[in-house]
Amino acid sequence: MFSLQTMFGKGDKFYGLLEASAEAARESAKAMHELVTQTDRTPIMAAFSTARAREKALHGQIGEELVNTFVTALDREDIEALNSALYKIPKTIEKFAERYVIVAERLQGIDFGQRAALLERSAEVVVAMIGQLRQGLKIDPVKKLRDQLQALESEADRLLLDPYRTLYAEGTDPLRAILAKDLFELVEKAVDKCRDVGNVVYSIVLKNS
């Protein structure tokens, strides 16, 4: 049985790059939570830009390291799958932010804070799961973290349905309901992307244990 350290060889850089990518995703989730709960959005949008630029650079760097490194940490397709899955979290969050700042005034009174907090918690679990790769092939802690992500995703699904009855029952502004629905679905999709990362990590640990 190979340990992750053996499989990475001297490639601690892959640990660091993947962890930095997960951290950038968490920064995006944190910025989104602040975006929907604070009134001054200018510095928050700057934080989005910084986290997104960082994620893009890390995504490209991991791809370059895969090309230039003869012995890779894991199977190349597993590293690529993690890199791709991590990249999609801030990408989805960025879509939410771009749309939210345009329509926020029209959506006053609609609470996105609870959902944003749930996404931030999901991103924190992702950081913890990626960090587990340094700890070796221990299934139990990774499974517990994956179960947390599954529970958070189920909660996100429930929250996705909750506001629709009220929004459509009001019936006074159909466009407001449509805009809110679009944003709610983007939050839920971002949580799904966190779950996808968790599933990739879990499958890697299972395969190599």
Side-chain angles (χ1 to χ4, degrees):
M1 181 179 71
F2 292 100
S3 68
L4 283 181
Q5 181 61 42
T6 300
M7 297 179 76
F8 266 107
K10 296 183 179 179
D12 281 355
K13 58 190 173 186
F14 283 106
Y15 291 129
L17 288 170
L18 290 169
E19 289 165 355
S21 185
E23 184 59 39
R26 177 166 63 176
E27 289 173 3
S28 289
K30 179 181 178 181
M32 178 180 144
H33 190 196
E34 293 174 349
L35 179 69
V36 300
T37 56
Q38 299 182 18
T39 55
D40 187 0
R41 301 189 181 101
T42 302
I44 299 171
M45 292 306 295
F48 268 114
S49 298
T50 300
R52 187 74 178 110
R54 182 184 176 196
E55 183 64 39
K56 287 180 179 178
L58 287 164
H59 179 76
Q61 189 176 353
I62 291 172
E64 290 176 7
E65 292 292 351
L66 282 171
V67 172
N68 297 327
T69 303
F70 181 70
V71 178
T72 59
L74 306 167
D75 291 342
R76 289 180 182 273
E77 59 267 25
D78 289 336
I79 298 175
E80 290 171 351
L82 266 182
N83 191 27
S84 176
L86 284 166
Y87 180 77
K88 290 175 183 177
I89 298 172
K91 182 178 180 180
T92 304
I93 294 172
E94 183 181 43
K95 287 182 181 178
F96 174 94
E98 289 173 345
R99 297 178 191 184
Y100 181 81
V101 295
I102 295 173
V103 301
E105 294 302 319
R106 188 156 193 166
L107 298 180
Q108 288 185 7
I110 298 178
D111 178 26
F112 291 92
Q114 185 180 8
R115 293 157 185 81
L118 189 148
L119 173 59
E120 188 173 2
R121 285 161 53 201
S122 299
E124 289 169 356
V125 177
V126 165
V127 170
M129 290 194 79
I130 296 296
Q132 281 293 320
L133 292 175
R134 282 191 186 270
Q135 309 305 317
L137 300 170
K138 300 176 182 178
I139 294 178
D140 286 347
V142 172
K143 184 179 184 303
K144 288 179 181 177
L145 290 168
R146 190 193 66 157
D147 289 345
Q148 288 181 35
L149 279 178
Q150 298 284 8
L152 289 167
E153 186 211 7
S154 295
E155 179 66 7
D157 289 341
R158 185 188 67 78
L159 289 175
L160 181 64
L161 296 175
D162 278 352
Y164 291 168
R165 298 183 188 90
T166 303
L167 284 171
Y168 288 118
E170 289 175 353
T172 56
D173 191 345
L175 180 58
R176 173 181 162 91
I178 292 171
L179 293 173
K181 179 178 181 292
D182 178 57
L183 291 172
F184 284 139
E185 288 177 349
L186 279 173
V187 179
E188 195 268 343
K189 184 177 180 181
V191 174
D192 285 348
K193 299 305 180 185
C194 292
R195 175 212 57 198
D196 291 345
V197 173
N199 287 341
V200 173
V201 173
Y202 186 64
S203 67
I204 290 172
V205 173
L206 279 179
K207 182 169 69 173
N208 295 291
S209 62

